[in-house]
Amino acid sequence: VARVTFVTGKGGVGKSTIAAALATRSGRALLVRLGARRAEPVPGPAVSVLDVDGATALGEYLGQALPAALVRRVTESRLYRAFVAAAPGLRELMTVGKILHEARRYTGDAPTWSAVVVDTPATGHVVQLLAMPAAAAGAFGGLVRREAERLVAELADPACTRVLPVTVAEPLAVTETLELLEALRALRLPLGPLVVNRVHRAPAVVPATPPDASPALAAALRCAREESTWAAANRRELERLPAPRVELPFVHDTAELAVLAELLP
Ligand SMILES: Nc1ncnc2c1ncn2[C@@H]1O[C@H](COP(=O)(O)OP(=O)(O)O)[C@@H](O)[C@H]1O
Ligand SMILES: [Mg+2]
């Protein structure tokens, strides 16, 4: 069974970058993108990408039980579309079910994936997503309940699941992250260290630009002063964030995923 890492956090903090870095680190990784724009590139040759939305996840679920032609007729019907749109909770349950099913998949005798990494969209969405199996286990009976209870058990097991919250050390992001951490703790999921992305490091003191400085030196010092302002702001915000944390540096080329991958838990 491959472990599933849910990469979560506010928009723009670096979730997709970090999910891609984690996926490239593993031999046969599956990168699951929830609600991704299809245009995003696949990070590397060893990585398979699965774009999941609730409607296709449900269709694939049905496909395990029903003949393909029948599934197509059902999932292409207006009634089905309306049903999925009207039952967002069900959609989320199916999405989690689909992801955990992938983690358990075998090709012959070997697990199909060495790791499953999930790139999630906005903060609120992931809490809803991960809360749904427990809610469904309480709300339904019979088959749905049994399925939901199995998902709850797998989500709670650190060997199966971990949630990796990502933030940047900036005021609004930190405030939102503190709320996210509280919501995730309430769900009692295995919570990885907090990843603080794009941390600037710079000397605290940058010398003044001498009057006879060349344009290149003046530009470099201006750059250093700017970095040092960012670094100071980052340090202030880092103090508001709880341990355990892992800090990732601001890199000038995110194509260097390997650099970030090495630092990731
Ligand atoms: N460690 C980093 N250093 C510099 N830029 C980064 C770093 N991580 C991500 N970025 C950049 O930040 C932007 C947002 O990252 P992205 O992964 O798309 O965030 P999200 O998926 O959370 O919205 C992108 O332009 C990305 O290249
Ligand atoms: Mg993204």
Side-chain angles (χ1 to χ4, degrees):
V1 177
R3 188 168 60 158
V4 180
T5 299
F6 290 90
V7 181
T8 70
K10 185 174 156 46
V13 297
K15 290 181 300 296
S16 298
T17 305
I18 285 166
L22 282 173
T24 54
R25 187 171 73 171
S26 184
R28 283 166 290 107
L30 177 67
L31 177 60
V32 180
R33 301 188 298 197
L34 301 183
R37 284 161 294 149
R38 305 286 146 128
E40 279 188 53
V42 177
V47 177
S48 301
V49 170
L50 179 68
D51 288 308
V52 173
D53 68 63
T56 47
L58 185 48
E60 288 187 33
Y61 243 52
L62 293 174
Q64 287 156 27
L66 303 173
L70 187 57
V71 171
R72 245 194 328 277
R73 263 178 47 204
V74 171
T75 56
E76 282 168 9
S77 71
R78 286 232 306 274
L79 180 63
Y80 171 83
R81 294 276 151 198
F83 174 68
V84 170
L90 185 63
R91 196 164 61 203
E92 265 131 19
L93 187 65
M94 293 306 157
T95 300
V96 177
K98 167 75 185 155
I99 294 167
L100 296 184
H101 175 76
E102 283 296 330
R104 274 184 265 113
R105 238 174 79 180
Y106 271 76
T107 305
D109 289 339
T112 307
W113 313 115
S114 53
V116 176
V117 183
V118 186
D119 182 8
T120 67
T123 313
H125 177 264
V126 81
V127 172
Q128 233 181 334
L129 184 80
L130 297 173
M132 196 44 65
F140 295 99
L143 202 72
V144 177
R145 184 200 197 110
R146 277 204 301 283
E147 172 71 3
E149 279 173 347
R150 196 172 53 77
L151 297 180
V152 169
E154 285 185 15
L155 286 178
D157 180 354
C160 299
T161 304
R162 70 169 172 162
V163 179
L164 209 59
V166 180
T167 188
V168 288
E170 291 166 22
L172 284 178
V174 167
T175 300
E176 197 170 308
T177 299
L178 293 174
E179 285 166 17
L180 171 67
L181 289 176
E182 207 167 300
L184 289 173
R185 279 194 206 105
L187 291 178
R188 299 176 184 286
L189 302 172
L191 201 52
L194 173 62
V195 177
V196 187
N197 191 25
R198 291 206 302 254
V199 176
H200 292 259
R201 298 201 191 290
V205 183
V206 179
T209 309
D212 59 345
S214 66
L217 176 60
L221 287 172
R222 205 163 45 240
C223 221
R225 260 189 295 278
E226 200 173 303
E227 280 293 303
S228 138
T229 307
W230 274 108
N234 283 165
R235 274 196 305 277
R236 270 195 310 278
E237 294 303 321
L238 275 164
E239 279 170 22
R240 298 174 58 204
L241 291 167
R245 332 181 277 249
V246 171
E247 295 174 24
L248 294 188
F250 182 93
V251 294
H252 286 280
D253 184 5
T254 46
E256 295 294 320
L257 286 177
V259 176
L260 298 178
E262 240 171 65
L263 297 168
L264 280 166

